[in-house]
Amino acid sequence: MRNMKPVSPIRVVAMLSMMTLVGCGASITPTNEPVEVTIKVTAKGQPVKNVALTLQPLVGGGQAVGDVVNGQLVTSVVPGTYTYYIERGKQPSDLKAIPEAYRVGALDRRLEIKEAGTYEVSMN
């Protein structure tokens, strides 16, 4: 057998600390910068207006709420996968054009924003 020297407690603590920092601890992921997007919003084929569209993140991203004017929402969002829904209208009558199913988020309704640009949301 080989002669084994005892390991000092300080070395043990140092090695465990290094393991935690290198690979056993929580990973740090850089945050994405917001990108400017235009989202064209239609319901039953017609441009939507006077409502607030909410983008709720499913993967990545961050929640965004903005006013839809003349069928478009221009906003900045962090790239990610979102569900979307209409939160409110300027007037209660503005919601009449929006199908009931689109007044709450849904996991099967997704909008993937990868980069700046124009996206379309159709509520039929």
Side-chain angles (χ1 to χ4, degrees), residues 40-64:
K40 294 182 178 182
V41 184
T42 59
K44 303 175 187 171
Q46 299 299 314
V48 171
K49 59 183 179 178
N50 300 327
V51 296
L53 179 71
T54 298
L55 298 174
Q56 183 68 39
L58 297 173
V59 178
Q63 185 176 24

Side-chain angles (χ1 to χ4, degrees), residues 11-25:
R11 274 196 164 167
V12 170
V13 169
M15 289 187 327
L16 289 173
S17 296
M18 290 293 287
M19 288 173 49
T20 300
L21 289 174
V22 171
C24 297

Side-chain angles (χ1 to χ4, degrees), residues 75-87:
T75 191
S76 292
V77 297
V78 174
T81 303
Y82 295 85
T83 185
Y84 54 89
Y85 57 94
I86 299 299
E87 186 172 319

